[in-house]
Amino acid sequence: MKSSLTFIWEIAKIVIIALLIVVPIRTFLFQPFFVKGQSMEPSFENGDYLIIDELTLRLRTPERGEVVVFKYPHDISQRYIKRIIGLPGETVNVEGGKVLIFDNKGEQVLNESSYLPSGVFTPGTIKMTLDKNQYFVLGDNRLASSDSRVWGVLPREDIIGRVVIRAWPFAALAKFGAPAY
């Protein structure tokens, strides 16, 4: 009887130690995310398993080009994944299939060649000026994405974290960061 109680106590200690390690990491540092849908193709496919870094964006502001996971502004129980295109204080103009950014340096056509295949254009016509703590996000599959062109700006407080690793499928294992513009 004593040996079975000792065994149960040892198992309980292992479970408690594991929970003390895993729960804070999962809650405050990293969390998994499964891609659902086609809005981020070709960068991410339906069913991809991603690791989201929650800590970095608590210490700094998101950068243009980073892929973020966030609470959908019109239903915070849903999670979306999109690429940050417009930053606070900028004006984003989608026109003629291109994305134009107006900031304190003037106007620039956004060069998205590092993550979009050639020939991909951005449909729609919209001009939006972002306030403090607002972002303009787009899916990489511009023809099949519900994004800022449809539902408006993304508030900073809705951003959960940024994609850092695609862990599955294993053959497509990759690390992600913001592209250079």
Side-chain angles (χ1 to χ4, degrees):
M1 178 74 174
K2 187 174 182 178
S3 66
S4 24
L5 286 176
T6 304
F7 176 74
I8 291 171
W9 173 241
E10 290 301 317
I11 296 295
K13 286 194 302 189
I14 291 170
V15 169
I16 291 168
I17 291 169
L19 288 174
L20 288 173
I21 293 170
V22 171
V23 169
I25 289 172
R26 168 67 173 77
T27 304
F28 300 110
L29 301 177
F30 299 100
Q31 71 172 271
F33 179 79
F34 278 101
V35 175
K36 293 179 186 168
Q38 302 161 338
S39 72
M40 286 301 291
E41 289 179 354
S43 299
F44 302 102
E45 303 286 331
N46 186 46
D48 282 359
Y49 181 82
L50 309 176
I51 303 298
I52 310 305
D53 167 13
E54 295 181 82
L55 182 62
T56 301
L57 295 184
R58 291 181 188 170
L59 304 174
R60 67 164 176 81
T61 59
E63 298 174 9
R64 184 182 335 279
E66 285 185 309
V67 178
V68 294
V69 172
F70 56 92
K71 297 177 230 167
Y72 175 53
H74 298 292
D75 180 359
I76 61 168
S77 69
Q78 291 188 36
R79 302 294 183 257
Y80 275 30
I81 178 172
K82 303 290 177 210
R83 188 176 301 275
I84 293 180
I85 300 298
L87 303 173
E90 295 179 337
T91 298
V92 179
N93 187 11
V94 175
E95 183 176 63
K98 296 180 181 176
V99 178
L100 297 123
I101 304 291
F102 299 90
D103 59 14
N104 56 3
K105 300 173 195 165
E107 175 186 299
Q108 66 174 331
V109 175
L110 192 61
N111 178 3
E112 300 180 284
S113 62
S114 64
Y115 51 86
L116 292 182
S118 63
V120 171
F121 67 97
T122 305
T125 303
I126 188 170
K127 189 170 186 175
M128 189 176 295
T129 300
L130 305 171
D131 290 334
K132 181 181 175 186
N133 296 320
Q134 290 183 333
Y135 294 85
F136 188 91
V137 294
L138 293 173
D140 288 355
N141 185 352
R142 302 291 162 84
L143 297 175
S145 179
S146 172
D147 48 40
S148 289
R149 294 171 295 166
V150 177
W151 42 260
V153 299
L154 171 63
R156 171 70 173 97
E157 63 267 11
D158 289 347
I159 298 175
I160 296 169
R162 66 186 182 99
V163 175
V164 290
I165 296 172
R166 176 180 26 232
W168 187 262
F170 194 69
L173 180 71
K175 183 179 176 189
F176 292 90
Y181 287 102

